[in-house]
Amino acid sequence: MKFGSRKTILVLFDMILIWLSVVIAYLLRFDLHIPQSYKIQFYEYAIVSMIIGSASLFYFKLYRRVWEYASIGEGISIVKAVLVTCTTSYLYMILMHDHRVPFSIYVRVMENMILIIGASRFIWRVIRDKYYKKKTDQRKALIIGAGDCGILIAKELKFNSNSPVYPVAFVDDDPSKFKHLIMGVPVLGDRNAVVQIVETNEIDEIIIAMPSVSKIEVSEIIAICKHTKAKMKIIPKINDLIEGKVTINAIRDVQVEDLLGRDPINIDLEGIANYVQDKVVLVTGAGGSIGSELCRQIAQFHPSKLILLGHGENSIYGIEKEIHRLYPTLKIEPVIADVQDIDRMKEVFKSFQPKVIFHAAAHKHVPLMERNPEEAIKNNVFGTRNVAECAHQFNAERFVLISTDKAVNPTSIMGATKRIAEQIIQSLDLVSQTKFVAVRFGNVLGSRGSVIPHFKEQIALGGPVTVTHPEMVRYFMTIPEAVQLVIQAGAFAKGGEIFILDMGDPVKIIDLATDLIRLSGFEPGVEIEINFSGIRPGEKLYEELLLSEERLGNTTHDRIFVGSPVKISQRELALEILRLEQVIAEKKGEVHDAVKHLVPSFSSVG
């Protein structure tokens, strides 16, 4: 039934109940026989009460969700509406007629209306609770968290006929709730009982309804739930609860990011605004995973202009549209250009005079760059040199290079080229007014070409999931997490530093694959196989974040560390890079040998 039609029926029904309340009051007052002298008063009083009563019920919003959720709050609203109705109707009758309505009738009408209107809601709730039982095709759900959010979710699942799952149990850490019923659903224990409850009650899905707890606590709960075969879902944000948006659609699958268990990053908004606000900011590689997120986050700090530079027109077009939609007043300049083209770079810098540069343009795929080392060098080395030298020449204030943990004692061409890129900006910093810094971090979850999308594709195809080595470990961050810290690190720049982000504990890739299979609703090794393919060219079992000559120091942010600047001769480095250019251009010599000359710690395993 449409909401408008249903509301009309409810209004008419309540008017009948109000009429009935007045009739009962008069009948009780006059021993079931209303005197002829009171009949006109009775009819007028009943009609006035119905009109004012309907308006009062509307005013107190009792027609918005009365039939779905009869509650204590609604009971209070009914009492308020009845008090307003009876008092206003009684005063009206006093003012309009000399023949007053007996005060006892006023009291009885009020009592009757509260009882009858309240009872109508209660009876409907009893009928509804009896009617909405678990259907045979609905999956069983265990809700973790019997607080406000968990109760709202239980209501939504229980009374929504389209819900594919039905709540059969709660779990909560509050012992006072144990063995009690909430919304007719029992609280069977605390989080430590999850595995047993799932097995005993044949639970199909676990819903974590604790949006206000820390991410660390969520990851601990997920770790317990991983020992079951139930599919895991979660209510992601406390804002959804505050804004009343907790519905079936708010429930999402638990993602790998939830397993990291890190709380939101605290950033120094004032410090960032001081170097970004009202400045022309250039982001290279703006269409990539890191570059596009940089654009999203920088936009909120009100730069005077944001230049989106990239080589791929489709990705630049996409991020331009998104930023324009989110920040319609921000000046955006999309630029299609290749960082390897020095003349084009000079043209861009001359035209826009950027003061802050985030250099995210890079080739990053390790095995692919092993097969195409020249292209890795052209983009990651020569491209970085071009953009950095333009920043120096055109008096930029800051230059932030996005680097990688693979630059430390590299075993891949990609890692070695990023280490050379770090050397370029450190050498330039010694002779420039521009503050050149690099930010070094590990893998980002969900970025293009990363392991998570690859695993998801393999799972979608039914497996197997291929892992290179059972002992391979990596550091992981989410893209927004990494970018927030990159922008924050830029505020700490004095020149020449390499900032190192706290990536948390390293994660075994085999554990990541297992978790992803389980989160997708499959059993690892049974429904989806895991195969080992062997270490690929350029890869190593574990990554490092610091070179031996770099001394690690603290910053004012607990998630950002700084490696002391390493003095590198700008002139000598420039000559070495020119030799590298000749090797590539003339194809005389081994590229790996030329790279090793620049990065002595480079040891190719390809």
Side-chain angles (χ1 to χ4, degrees):
M1 184 184 296
K2 292 183 179 179
F3 180 71
S5 302
R6 186 183 66 171
K7 187 158 62 174
T8 301
I9 293 172
L10 292 176
V11 171
L12 293 172
F13 182 70
D14 281 335
M15 290 177 77
I16 293 170
L17 296 181
I18 294 170
W19 177 276
L20 185 62
S21 298
V22 177
V23 170
I24 292 172
Y26 271 88
L27 289 174
L28 291 175
R29 172 67 175 77
F30 296 108
D31 295 325
L32 303 181
H33 181 74
I34 303 173
Q36 190 67 33
S37 59
Y38 277 91
K39 282 190 176 179
I40 294 175
Q41 182 195 85
F42 156 67
Y43 285 118
E44 186 174 354
Y45 188 36
I47 292 169
V48 169
S49 296
M50 284 193 296
I51 294 170
I52 295 174
S54 298
S56 296
L57 292 170
F58 259 110
Y59 178 78
F60 288 101
K61 302 176 182 178
L62 286 164
Y63 295 115
R64 291 201 173 180
R65 58 185 189 122
V66 59
W67 298 107
E68 284 74 17
Y69 303 113
S71 63
I72 293 174
E74 188 189 48
I76 294 170
S77 295
I78 289 173
V79 171
K80 289 178 180 179
V82 170
L83 283 171
V84 169
T85 300
C86 293
T87 303
T88 306
S89 302
Y90 186 69
L91 291 174
Y92 171 85
M93 296 299 292
I94 290 174
L95 292 172
M96 299 302 293
H97 301 281
D98 294 333
H99 191 193
R100 298 178 63 178
V101 174
F103 186 75
S104 60
I105 287 181
Y106 162 75
V107 173
R108 282 175 174 165
V109 168
M110 189 184 303
E111 291 173 349
N112 293 341
M113 286 177 64
I114 291 172
L115 287 172
I116 294 173
I117 294 176
S120 69
R121 271 63 176 176
F122 179 74
I123 291 168
W124 169 250
R125 180 167 178 173
V126 170
I127 293 170
R128 182 197 61 181
D129 287 359
K130 188 174 182 180
Y131 174 76
Y132 282 104
K133 298 296 184 182
K134 181 183 178 299
K135 299 175 184 176
T136 55
D137 60 341
Q138 285 182 304
R139 300 187 297 276
K140 294 181 180 179
L142 168 67
I143 300 175
I144 298 182
D148 291 338
C149 183
I151 293 169
L152 284 172
I153 288 299
K155 283 183 179 180
E156 185 73 17
L157 296 178
K158 194 172 183 181
F159 304 126
N160 188 326
S161 58
N162 296 320
S163 172
V165 296
Y166 188 90
V168 297
F170 276 110
V171 158
D172 197 278
D173 289 336
D174 183 356
S176 66
K177 295 179 181 178
F178 293 175
K179 297 182 181 179
H180 285 70
L181 295 176
I182 300 176
M183 295 294 302
V185 179
V187 182
L188 298 182
D190 61 15
R191 69 180 69 175
N192 296 316
V194 165
V195 176
Q196 182 183 347
I197 292 168
V198 169
E199 185 175 341
T200 304
N201 294 274
E202 299 179 338
I203 300 295
D204 302 299
E205 292 189 9
I206 298 173
I207 300 172
I208 302 171
M210 303 173 70
S212 61
V213 302
S214 69
K215 289 188 176 181
I216 294 172
E217 192 169 354
V218 170
S219 70
E220 290 171 356
I221 293 169
I222 292 172
I224 294 171
C225 298
K226 279 162 52 177
H227 295 289
T228 73
K229 294 181 181 180
K231 189 167 184 178
M232 286 180 274
K233 293 184 178 289
I234 192 169
I235 303 298
K237 296 183 295 184
I238 186 64
N239 291 345
D240 289 341
L241 181 59
I242 294 170
E243 296 169 10
K245 296 179 181 176
V246 177
T247 65
I248 292 174
N249 294 332
I251 305 172
R252 66 162 172 81
D253 291 340
V254 169
Q255 298 167 353
V256 176
E257 289 88 335
D258 298 312
L259 300 173
L260 293 180
R262 289 199 286 267
D263 285 324
I265 294 166
N266 296 316
I267 60 174
D268 176 14
L269 295 175
E270 185 178 349
I272 293 171
N274 285 342
Y275 85 92
V276 172
Q277 188 172 344
D278 299 324
K279 303 288 177 64
V280 178
V281 179
L282 166 65
V283 178
T284 70
S289 304
I290 297 295
S292 60
E293 183 63 24
L294 274 166
C295 294
R296 291 182 195 100
Q297 294 196 28
I298 290 167
Q300 67 184 303
F301 295 108
H302 310 293
S304 61
K305 183 177 286 186
L306 182 58
I307 304 167
L308 317 176
L309 188 147
H311 197 210
E313 60 174 292
N314 290 332
S315 57
I316 293 298
Y317 175 71
I319 189 62
E320 180 200 8
K321 280 181 62 180
E322 181 182 342
I323 298 297
H324 181 71
R325 176 176 55 81
L326 295 173
Y327 304 93
T329 60
L330 177 64
K331 292 181 181 178
I332 305 168
E333 194 67 45
V335 175
I336 305 301
D338 190 339
V339 293
Q340 298 178 41
D341 185 343
I342 183 60
D343 293 331
R344 178 66 171 134
M345 288 301 101
K346 287 180 179 179
E347 181 184 318
V348 170
F349 274 80
K350 185 177 180 180
S351 298
F352 301 111
Q353 297 291 319
K355 291 301 177 185
V356 180
I357 296 98
F358 290 91
H359 182 50
H363 287 327
K364 63 179 183 179
H365 196 281
V366 171
L368 194 58
M369 290 305 102
E370 286 302 300
R371 295 196 292 270
N372 300 274
E374 293 86 356
E375 294 307 311
I377 293 166
K378 288 177 188 177
N379 204 55
N380 297 357
V381 177
F382 304 154
T384 299
R385 178 195 60 185
N386 292 345
V387 181
E389 287 182 349
C390 284
H392 165 60
Q393 181 182 340
F394 290 91
N395 302 311
E397 294 175 4
R398 290 173 205 246
F399 182 102
V400 181
L401 168 70
I402 309 300
S403 191
T404 170
D405 56 0
K406 293 174 175 60
V408 181
N409 300 321
T411 58
S412 66
I413 278 290
M414 194 283 283
T417 58
K418 294 300 281 185
R419 176 56 195 148
I420 298 171
E422 292 178 351
Q423 292 175 332
I424 289 169
I425 62 106
Q426 285 186 314
S427 67
L428 263 175
D429 185 75
L430 298 173
V431 298
S432 179
Q433 294 299 311
T434 304
K435 295 177 181 178
F436 287 92
V437 297
V439 181
R440 190 187 287 162
F441 53 89
N443 299 272
V444 285
L445 292 168
S447 63
R448 293 178 193 170
S450 66
V451 69
I452 299 297
H454 178 61
F455 283 167
K456 285 182 177 178
E457 287 177 10
Q458 292 181 322
I459 292 168
L461 293 171
V465 171
T466 54
V467 176
T468 53
H469 192 282
E471 297 301 319
M472 181 166 284
V473 296
R474 289 291 182 268
Y475 292 97
F476 283 100
M477 290 185 111
T478 65
I479 295 174
E481 193 178 22
V483 167
Q484 277 183 299
L485 290 173
V486 166
I487 297 172
Q488 179 68 77
F492 299 146
K494 294 179 180 177
E497 305 100 329
I498 293 180
F499 293 101
I500 295 134
L501 306 186
D502 175 13
M503 304 289 292
D505 296 324
V507 177
K508 272 192 171 185
I509 301 299
I510 180 66
D511 292 342
L512 195 65
T514 302
D515 288 340
L516 198 57
I517 292 169
R518 188 170 281 117
L519 292 178
S520 300
F522 301 103
E523 189 171 351
V526 179
E527 295 171 286
I528 300 287
E529 292 291 335
I530 298 176
N531 293 341
F532 296 104
S533 59
I535 296 177
R536 298 176 297 179
E539 288 186 325
K540 49 185 177 180
L541 284 179
Y542 61 92
E543 302 290 359
E544 305 158 275
L545 289 169
L546 201 67
L547 292 167
S548 58
E549 63 267 30
E550 294 171 335
R551 297 187 308 278
L552 191 65
N554 294 321
T555 67
T556 56
H557 197 289
D558 60 359
R559 298 279 301 276
I560 302 173
F561 302 95
V562 59
S564 302
V566 177
K567 292 185 178 180
I568 299 169
S569 168
Q570 197 264 340
R571 183 174 176 276
E572 290 179 10
L573 183 64
L575 288 173
E576 291 293 340
I577 291 175
L578 282 173
R579 291 193 186 100
L580 186 59
E581 278 186 300
Q582 289 178 338
V583 168
I584 291 176
E586 299 172 8
K587 302 189 184 298
K588 293 180 179 178
E590 174 57 45
V591 170
H592 285 72
D593 292 338
V595 170
K596 187 170 178 60
H597 195 65
L598 275 162
V599 187
S601 61
F602 171 48
S603 57
S604 176
V605 295

